Amino acid sequence: MEKRKVSVILPTYNRAYIIKNSIRSILDQTYKDYELIIVDDGSIDKTEDIVEKWIEENTIEIRYIKKENGGKHTAYNVACDNADTELIMIALDSDDYLCEDAVEIIINAWNEHDGISGIVTLCDNGDHTKPVYDKYKIDKSGICSLQKAFAENLFLGEARFTFKTEYAKKYKYPVIEGEKFFTEGYIYYQMDEPMY
């Protein structure tokens, strides 16, 4: 079987009451050559039961991994370790959702740009009146390093990331006993790689 193009990863913890919205938005994508990796960070609610029902539908490949609670950053590491696709679409939170053509847009952008390590996409908060980044600080190609983008505050608002899998596996979070939170910036400040 040919390797899938992209893994969409969804870390979750005690989100049984809302995770179906995220899963439904992922299943309804116009682009279908992807897998969904759900990493359950030790939920004690009905998350597993809900995910099992989606797996039984067999609409797309869903891999469900339940682990001991260690924080979202450790769920991210587990997802990266288990992905074997070309790209990893990072961490749709279990209370977020994707527009129906989100994966297709990302794949098209990926296919149009050589030499990049990933793609930054900005989340829509419903306010379309403000610029989401300073276009004058990013070169005309739209490419700069993630490290530079964050160091110079080029983004306003929440963003999602799609990385080439080899980079997602290279830049992971440290696991420190008793520490259950690492800011995403830990990864972004390390990644001095060209991003679109």
Side-chain angles (χ1 to χ4, degrees), residues 28 40 59 63 100 113 141 160 164 196:
D28 287 345
D40 185 337
T59 308
R63 287 198 276 159
E100 66 183 15
H113 295 86
S141 70
R160 289 287 171 262
K164 198 171 189 179
Y196 173 69

Side-chain angles (χ1 to χ4, degrees), residues 159-190:
R160 289 287 171 262
F161 303 89
T162 301
F163 296 126
K164 198 171 189 179
T165 301
E166 68 182 89
Y167 291 110
K169 289 178 183 275
K170 178 179 176 182
Y171 300 105
K172 295 196 303 188
Y173 294 98
V175 177
I176 299 170
E177 190 174 338
E179 182 59 59
K180 293 197 177 181
F181 177 77
F182 266 91
T183 177
E184 285 90 349
Y186 178 85
I187 300 287
Y188 311 152
Y189 280 113
Q190 291 183 78

Side-chain angles (χ1 to χ4, degrees), residues 120-122 138 144-161 163 183-191 195:
V120 179
T121 52
L122 297 159
I138 296 175
C144 76
S145 79
L146 197 51
Q147 188 180 77
K148 173 186 165 118
F150 275 85
E152 296 184 14
N153 266 340
L154 300 187
F155 301 128
L156 301 176
E158 193 172 349
R160 289 287 171 262
F161 303 89
F163 296 126
T183 177
E184 285 90 349
Y186 178 85
I187 300 287
Y188 311 152
Y189 280 113
Q190 291 183 78
M191 195 170 281
M195 301 286 289

